[in-house]
Amino acid sequence: VDKFSNYLARFTSYIFHPLFMPTNGLIIIYFFGGVSGFNKYSTDTDKSTAFFTISILFIATSIIPLIITVVLKKLKYISSFHMPSKEERFLPFIFTCFCYFGVYYFLKYYLDLNLNSLIFYFIFAGMLATMLGFFITLSWKISIHMIGIGGITGIITLLSKIHDEVLLYPLSITFLIAGLIAFSRLQQEAHNTKQIIAGFCLGFGCIMSGIFYLISH
């Protein structure tokens, strides 16, 4: 049982790594979010724009940070891809924040894509969560994995509010994944319960802060 639990914990930590969460978030929005101009029923032009946006986000927030992380590991700045100590997270976080800011600026101002404003909001909120996570991790080892899944849970919850319809299936799956991630981080003794809860609340809160914008408009 212990061997299986350890294997499940490692597998979960890798498959739901924070680097993949921004891309996963946009994919979920595309298939389940019902966002105008950014869904599977859109026109061919809008579908092409959506695919391009997801691809650029994947390169900027997954591939480039992954390459940087591999280089830092080769240079022995970090001991593993999970960066067990808060000191190891300093440089990777800075680079990731720059990548977020870069892709947001590139998509919104340089390319001037015809994207629904909600997509830009979700990217911005993800950038905000990453930056806040960076400042917190300088003094306290908050769970980055839980920030990621908290953000995706926030996306689905906010979309449910926008459409006045609970996206029950994706929301249920996301909460199940959040539980698996929390289990894996505790099983690997990477975080304590407070760091797990704080990470989820930070990711969720950054996305859900958009509800105040919706209420005021």
Side-chain angles (χ1 to χ4, degrees), residues 25-37:
L26 278 197
I27 291 172
I28 288 171
I29 292 169
Y30 181 80
F31 284 104
F32 302 106
V35 174
S36 177

Side-chain angles (χ1 to χ4, degrees), residues 41-175:
Y41 303 111
S42 302
T43 64
D44 289 342
T45 302
D46 286 340
K47 284 181 180 178
S48 296
T49 301
F51 179 77
F52 177 77
T53 302
I54 293 170
S55 299
I56 291 296
L57 189 76
F58 177 66
I59 292 169
T61 62
S62 299
I63 300 299
I64 294 176
L66 182 60
I67 291 171
I68 292 169
T69 304
V70 170
V71 171
L72 291 175
K73 190 173 185 301
K74 290 287 185 182
L75 295 174
K76 301 189 184 304
Y77 182 85
I78 60 174
S79 58
S80 81
F81 293 124
H82 294 301
M83 293 166 269
S85 69
K86 62 180 185 292
E87 291 78 15
E88 293 181 34
R89 299 180 171 200
F90 183 77
L91 275 182
F93 253 102
I94 288 180
F95 284 125
T96 302
C97 286
F98 272 117
C99 287
Y100 255 111
F101 178 78
V103 73
Y104 179 79
Y105 182 87
F106 183 70
L107 291 173
K108 187 172 177 65
Y109 298 107
Y110 185 78
L111 293 181
D112 193 26
L113 294 177
N114 184 31
L115 278 174
N116 191 300
S117 59
L118 271 173
I119 303 303
F120 290 119
Y121 168 74
F122 287 132
I123 296 174
F124 178 82
M127 178 175 65
L128 177 63
T130 303
M131 291 176 67
L132 289 174
F134 165 68
F135 287 114
I136 293 172
T137 203
L138 293 177
S139 57
W140 193 58
K141 194 187 168 192
I142 192 169
S143 174
I144 312 305
H145 279 78
M146 294 306 293
I147 292 177
I149 193 62
I152 288 183
T153 308
I155 285 173
I156 298 171
T157 305
L158 190 59
L159 288 170
S160 296
K161 170 64 179 176
I162 291 169
H163 299 309
D164 289 322
E165 178 186 356
V166 177
L167 301 174
L168 188 60
Y169 176 70
L171 197 59
S172 300
I173 295 296
T174 306
F175 271 113

